[in-house]
Amino acid sequence: EAGVVQSPRYKIIEKKQPVAFWCNPISGHNTLYWYRQNLGQGPELLIRYENEEAVDDSQLPKDRFSAERLKGVDSTLKIQPAELGDSAVYLCASSREEVTEAFFGQGTRLTVV
Amino acid sequence: GEDVEQSLFLSVREGDSSVINCTYTDSSSTYLYWYKQEPGAGLQLLTYIFSNMDMKQDQRLTVLLNKKDKHLSLRIADTQTGDSAIYFCAESMETGGFKTIFGAGTRLFVKA
């Protein structure tokens, strides 16, 4: 069984530029999460999907961040425009249901210069 | 409020036991987790415990839960150099749709 796949692994952009991250969850997993992990800290939830519905986006900075999960499978997370403080690792995770084990991808390390 | 606290560093010798501690604040937590993160990798779930349990053992891992003190610990027996990583404690509570809160992580150094 393939794990959670994220791309790209690394991204360096200049501030004010847009950036997008892509996540392919494990097949059959209805719940998908996007987390942000700042250096030396634990992951913080940005958004959680149940199938194609965003059920918890309370921590998503909606002025510049957006996410979508069309057809309830793959998901993209976008930042536009990026700020220096957005530099972090963006982790995607998926689980069969919201209360079961979440499997994490390797993450996308974003550096905004 | 929601908060999970861990000590930042732990150093042990190979073969010794490691004990990583965590405190949490929300008494309504339903699940408590331990994740492992190696450099450049995502988080790997090591084990979890339901809030109605006191202990769970899985091979070299032992989780102890003290609900009264809201204290969770992870003991790794016979610690190996491959256990060097960051260990995250996390709590998940039913209120708010099982939102999971992570601690800042404990960096475990294993000396050969």
Side-chain angles (χ1 to χ4, degrees):
Chain A
E1 180 181 72
V4 177
V5 179
Q6 291 187 246
S7 67
R9 285 294 313 278
Y10 306 93
K11 189 73 176 179
I12 301 175
I13 61 170
E14 294 183 341
K15 62 182 180 182
K16 300 184 182 180
Q17 294 301 307
V19 65
F21 314 124
W22 176 78
C23 174
N24 185 10
I26 293 173
S27 178
H29 282 195
N30 298 325
T31 306
L32 183 145
Y33 313 79
W34 282 103
Y35 287 88
R36 176 169 59 191
Q37 186 177 19
N38 292 314
L39 187 64
Q41 297 182 23
E44 296 178 322
L45 181 68
L46 292 173
I47 190 168
R48 175 168 61 93
Y49 282 93
E50 290 296 332
N51 298 304
E52 65 274 11
E53 181 183 0
V55 296
D56 184 357
D57 63 355
S58 56
Q59 302 301 312
L60 190 72
K62 297 181 183 64
D63 57 336
R64 297 182 300 107
F65 286 65
S66 64
E68 62 182 11
R69 191 185 184 197
L70 300 175
K71 301 180 182 179
V73 182
D74 294 3
S75 178
T76 56
L77 177 69
K78 299 178 182 178
I79 308 175
Q80 181 171 9
E83 297 179 352
L84 295 176
D86 295 331
S87 295
V89 175
Y90 291 81
L91 295 165
C92 178
S94 71
S95 63
R96 288 192 182 280
E97 298 171 356
E98 64 183 39
V99 299
T100 58
E101 176 182 356
F103 293 84
F104 282 80
Q106 291 184 296
T108 296
R109 181 177 296 275
L110 174 67
T111 302
V112 182
V113 297
Chain B
E2 307 161 345
D3 199 9
V4 177
E5 295 189 352
Q6 306 176 235
S7 53
L8 293 181
F9 300 99
L10 176 65
S11 181
V12 300
R13 292 188 183 278
E14 189 175 23
D16 289 349
S17 292
S18 306
V19 179
I20 303 173
N21 295 301
C22 168
T23 58
Y24 59 98
T25 56
D26 199 312
S27 59
S28 65
S29 292
T30 307
Y31 299 86
L32 295 138
Y33 306 90
W34 283 105
Y35 283 86
K36 176 183 180 183
Q37 187 177 37
E38 296 181 88
L43 277 71
Q44 174 195 358
L45 180 65
L46 289 177
T47 186
Y48 65 93
I49 189 169
F50 295 109
S51 59
N52 62 357
M53 297 169 63
D54 296 324
M55 187 185 86
K56 181 178 181 181
Q57 186 159 3
D58 183 3
Q59 298 181 337
R60 292 191 298 122
L61 306 178
T62 302
V63 178
L64 295 178
L65 175 60
N66 182 329
K67 291 183 286 293
K68 175 176 173 291
D69 296 336
K70 299 188 182 67
H71 182 266
L72 184 73
S73 67
L74 173 69
R75 178 178 181 269
I76 305 173
D78 187 24
T79 311
Q80 302 298 306
T81 55
D83 295 325
S84 293
I86 303 175
Y87 291 81
F88 292 94
C89 172
E91 62 172 343
S92 183
M93 57 213 80
E94 189 167 358
T95 54
F98 288 99
K99 180 178 179 180
T100 302
I101 307 295
F102 286 83
T106 299
R107 186 177 293 273
L108 175 64
F109 296 93
V110 182
K111 296 174 287 189

